[in-house]
Amino acid sequence: MLNLLRKYRPTDEDERRMLEQTIQFVESHADCFDRQLSIGHVTGSSWVVSPDRRKVVLIHHAKLDRWLQPGGHADGDPDVLGVALREATEETGLTNLKIVSPAIFDVDVHRIPARGAEPEHWHYDIRFLLEADPEQPFIRTPESKDIRWVETDEIAELTTEKSINRMNCKNKVNN
């Protein structure tokens, strides 16, 4: 994981800062992939695009009540690309996901608010670029209120999340 993180080139100063925080976190915590680490943990997520890169999969997250990319906890698994692929499949039902590149697509560090017995903590989210067929139907889980393919030009109508907009810009530049 550290090798992948050190090879990654962030797109702006904000992402560079989060990349440094993530490297420091991984170096400082041998159990960084375990969600039982109460201060935070590494998570894996995906920017799932259509083959023409004009659409992206977004999930209306039930607990956070926000439109986000598919992703979730590593649960001790240091293969964060595998985690991102597994979470995308579990959260969308898409089974034809293709890894566009094994390189990191985006890095984000964000606070997760306290909820029930779970204290406030940080997610050190490592994101990968995946591709899927927009004709394959979704299977919605209780974790989401909605799942949909969103035209890249319409993402701003659903969310103002800084990291979503950053990934959308990267997708457009690389299209």
Side-chain angles (χ1 to χ4, degrees), residues 84-147:
L85 189 60
R86 179 189 76 226
E87 289 291 329
T89 299
E90 287 176 4
E91 291 185 348
T92 66
L94 297 173
T95 57
N96 64 346
L97 292 164
K98 174 185 157 195
I99 298 168
V100 174
S101 169
I104 293 171
F105 180 68
D106 190 76
V107 174
D108 193 71
V109 178
H110 51 271
R111 183 183 67 82
I112 301 297
R115 184 174 170 89
E118 188 174 279
E120 173 183 290
H121 60 281
W122 294 90
H123 278 182
Y124 296 84
D125 199 30
I126 313 300
R127 289 126 177 227
F128 296 89
L129 185 62
L130 302 181
E131 185 179 284
D133 178 0
E135 299 302 316
Q136 185 179 9
F138 294 119
I139 299 172
R140 194 168 66 84
T141 69
E143 292 182 27
S144 63
K145 293 180 179 181
D146 195 6
I147 308 169

Side-chain angles (χ1 to χ4, degrees), residues 2 40 49 51 54 63 94 99 112 119 132 138-139 155 158:
L2 281 170
V49 296
R54 292 188 177 145
K63 287 182 185 175
L94 297 173
I99 298 168
I112 301 297
F138 294 119
I139 299 172
I155 289 174
L158 289 179

Side-chain angles (χ1 to χ4, degrees), residues 1 32-35 40-48 59 61 63-64 68-92 108 110 112 121-128 130 143:
M1 168 55 58
C32 64
F33 301 102
D34 189 343
R35 78 188 301 174
H41 27 268
V42 173
T43 56
S45 62
S46 307
W47 191 247
V48 181
I59 296 172
H61 196 279
K63 287 182 185 175
L64 299 174
L68 301 169
Q69 76 284 351
H73 292 98
D75 294 324
D77 187 352
D79 176 10
V80 183
L81 174 56
V83 170
L85 189 60
R86 179 189 76 226
E87 289 291 329
T89 299
E90 287 176 4
E91 291 185 348
T92 66
D108 193 71
H110 51 271
I112 301 297
H121 60 281
W122 294 90
H123 278 182
Y124 296 84
D125 199 30
I126 313 300
R127 289 126 177 227
F128 296 89
L130 302 181
E143 292 182 27

